[in-house]
Amino acid sequence: MTPEEVLEEFRSAGALLQGHFILSSGLRSPTFLQKMTIFSDPARTERLCRALAEVITRRFGRIDIVVSPAIGGIIPGYETARHLGARAIFVERDPGGPFTLRRGFSIPAGARAVIVEDIVTTGLSARECLASLKDEAGEVVGAACLIDRSGGRGEIGLPLVSLVTLDIPTYSPDALPPDLAALPAIKPGSRAIPTP
């Protein structure tokens, strides 16, 4: 799947939005990728995650376990794992706490794991996911996402592959360009962040 085909999946699903958005990181952006619109369509999700599994295999080889941060990464993690012939597990957090593996999930010795995210903006969720896996016996070999909207600048601590890399600008709330500041801010994501 080419980058343009991936973006067309988002466009045709109405998941590539323009306006003034408050991202889950608290940053502001003129572009928002509403991935849950994508994940509500099983056929579209299957196409994108099959393509992501192919990219993962080319870059990292055999993968035994896909680990995703809850909640946004669970669907793409599961579907990508299905195409890799791997197990799908996830990290989750108690309210206000760090990510942790629960529910009996583990990465046993000899297992090769990859972190699968939906969209990477700053890489924070993937970094927190990786930190929660530091005591696991198996090896976390890399990370993957559908769209890297950081322009390749998101720091994870692992090699990152994606279907598309975009350089979508983000701004702190106190440093908005005038055209963005003139639009009402919308918070379409799910993470609870106070809005200034």
Side-chain angles (χ1 to χ4, degrees):
M1 184 173 269
T2 68
E4 186 51 41
E5 288 170 332
V6 172
L7 291 175
E8 185 51 37
E9 290 279 6
F10 275 77
R11 281 188 208 102
S12 63
L16 184 57
L17 309 175
Q18 300 298 317
H20 178 179
F21 302 101
I22 303 169
L23 305 178
S24 62
S25 63
L27 297 173
R28 306 296 179 93
S29 179
T31 303
F32 187 77
L33 299 158
Q34 183 51 278
K35 69 256 181 183
M36 290 319 227
T37 301
I38 294 290
F39 300 147
S40 69
D41 181 336
R44 195 178 303 277
T45 301
E46 190 274 336
R47 286 190 297 273
L48 290 167
C49 292
R50 180 176 3 102
L52 187 59
E54 291 167 2
V55 170
I56 290 168
T57 300
R58 281 195 304 270
R59 176 62 173 87
F60 302 116
R62 183 195 94 242
I63 297 298
D64 304 301
I65 298 174
V66 169
V67 185
S68 298
I71 251 172
I74 292 176
I75 293 173
Y78 175 85
E79 186 63 19
T80 302
R82 190 171 73 84
H83 290 286
L84 290 168
R87 287 185 60 231
I89 65 176
F90 56 89
V91 295
E92 58 192 308
R93 62 174 100 234
D94 289 323
F99 277 131
T100 185
L101 279 176
R102 295 169 44 184
R103 305 171 194 271
F105 292 152
S106 67
I107 304 173
R112 293 171 48 83
V114 67
I115 294 171
V116 170
E117 268 273 42
D118 43 21
I119 310 293
V120 167
T121 299
T122 64
L124 177 61
S125 291
R127 283 192 306 276
E128 290 177 339
C129 181
L130 178 61
S132 74
L133 304 174
K134 68 182 180 333
D135 295 328
E136 292 299 308
E139 179 185 10
V140 182
V141 298
C145 63
L146 297 177
I147 297 181
D148 174 2
R149 60 169 284 147
S150 77
R153 293 182 300 277
E155 285 296 319
I156 293 173
L158 292 169
L160 174 68
V161 296
S162 64
L163 293 180
V164 178
T165 299
L166 299 175
D167 196 359
I168 299 174
T170 57
Y171 307 95
S172 67
D174 59 353
L176 298 175
D179 57 329
L180 193 58
L183 299 173
I186 300 167
K187 187 172 154 287
S190 61
R191 202 179 302 170
I193 293 179
T195 54

